Amino acid sequence: MPTTPRNTPRRPLSSVLIALLSLLAAAFLTAPSAVARTEAVPTATLTEVTGFGTNPSNLQMYLYVPDNVTAHPAVVVAVHYCTGSGPAMYNGTEWAQLADTYGFVVIYPSVTRSSKCFDVSSPQALKRGGGSDPVGIKSMIDWTVNAYSADTGRIYATGISSGAMMTNVLLGDYPDVFAAGAAFSGVPFGCFATTDGSEWNSACSGGTITHTPQEWGDLVRAAYPGYTGARPRMQVWHGTEDDVLRYPNFGEEIKQWTNVLGVSQTPAATDSPVSGWTRTRYGATGDRAPVEAISLQGVGHNLYSWGMASRALTFFGLDGSGPAPQPQPGACKVTATTNAWNTGLTASVTLTNTGTTAINGWQLAFTLPAGQTITNGWGATYTPPSGAVTATNATYNATIAPNASVSIGYQANHGGNSAAPGGFSLNGTACTTS
């Protein structure tokens, strides 16, 4: 232990106090404030972060922090598809725009290996702390939590294709880190496992690997032996015509995560929030059910479209309203009319709460006829502009009292079909129309 040299003269007490006060003043002047912590990266722009921690597979980390980042923000890890990248995921999905609205932070991991696919097959990837991609992603999360004092109880994973498979892997490897995940066109944890160094498992991609729910659940539990804590909720999406990761994988994911979360394989609720979609919920009926599964009839592997992230956000509980109220069947009524001209139209939509309790925060889903594209709207935010659209309440009309109505509308282009939209559902429950 170092000691003070004997020949060092002792300073007068007054000078020591002056020096100490000077040091304290300097510390107060130079110490970063709580606000300064939110400037670890520039806001409102995608920024690469280097030196973020243990990173055995040389992943890149990209981070998006909104201007209005909240204190102790939630964190969403958005994982790209094969041949993709963090910047491609940033540009091709609406997670950054949702972060602007709700104040959370988005991490975009990016693969540097030549395939641009995440490792979801090696023994290292399928084990907590195993030394592959999941370890690097966990380091990104740790860096972000430290830099922004993020809420460790609100960390989520989502991904498309290879990223969906990684979402399954992350939730298996790190159940104590994630609160929930949303996987778009993925496969169960462990389905892609290989031992020969190959990144591809044809049996899994072809949908020929099946297990009992218990066997699938055991694969997840083996990633973190002895863990007895809470497990993250899971939302899975799949198209029935997926020719890359065949549709049977959807059912196997449901078997796996219902077993992991200890809920029945019999749906607690089934509905069709959008024409051609079948949504089943397991273990509960609301927006934060333990497992939620959305099957898209006639849709292929590239099922992700603008607006789906908002539905994942609702499942996560990050849309600012918590779990959306679930009106019982018949508890809402919609009237929709259009007024058309050559290639354009205006639409008026009246939404009535026919239930007995107030609705606080709403999303009205509907399907536009083919060829129609919304160009502007009022009374709500409309995403995406065509196809399966979700209208989200404005601040001033978020609450609808029993028997009360709100009127919204939009202007759209059309290619000859100027009919009113159909297939209305309010917060996931079908509405009657008139």
Side-chain angles (χ1 to χ4, degrees), residues 333-351:
K333 182 179 71 174
V334 173
T335 301
T337 60
T338 58
N339 181 22
W341 59 92
N342 293 339
T343 59
L345 61 86
T346 58
S348 298
V349 178
T350 300
L351 168 63

Side-chain angles (χ1 to χ4, degrees), residues 45 49 53 72 75 85 147 158 174 180 256 284 382 384 390 406 410 420:
T45 186
V49 176
H72 310 297
V75 177
S85 66
T158 186
Y174 296 101
Q256 182 171 69
Y382 301 84
T390 298
V406 296
Y410 57 85

Side-chain angles (χ1 to χ4, degrees), residues 360-422:
N360 296 301
W362 51 266
Q363 289 187 321
L364 182 67
F366 56 88
T367 303
L368 286 180
Q372 291 188 16
T373 302
I374 294 174
T375 55
N376 61 72
W378 49 92
T381 301
Y382 301 84
T383 56
S386 61
V389 177
T390 298
T392 302
N393 64 265
T395 303
Y396 65 85
N397 63 7
T399 299
I400 311 176
N403 299 314
S405 300
V406 296
S407 295
I408 62 175
Y410 57 85
Q411 183 173 330
N413 296 327
H414 68 83
N417 185 349
S418 60

Side-chain angles (χ1 to χ4, degrees), residues 15 55 73 85 129 161 232 289 370 433:
S15 65
N55 183 24
S85 66
S161 190
T433 56

Side-chain angles (χ1 to χ4, degrees), residues 327-336 349-355 359 364 400 403-406 424-426 429-434:
Q328 295 302 308
C332 53
K333 182 179 71 174
V334 173
T335 301
V349 178
T350 300
L351 168 63
T352 302
N353 175 11
T354 57
I359 297 170
L364 182 67
I400 311 176
N403 299 314
S405 300
V406 296
F424 292 95
S425 63
L426 176 66
T429 297
C431 298
T432 59
T433 56
S434 62

Side-chain angles (χ1 to χ4, degrees), residues 22-56:
S22 298
L23 287 170
L24 287 171
F28 279 116
L29 288 171
T30 59
S33 65
V35 174
R37 290 180 62 82
T38 66
E39 298 174 358
V41 302
T43 59
T45 186
L46 187 68
T47 304
E48 183 176 4
V49 176
T50 59
F52 50 83
T54 305
N55 183 24

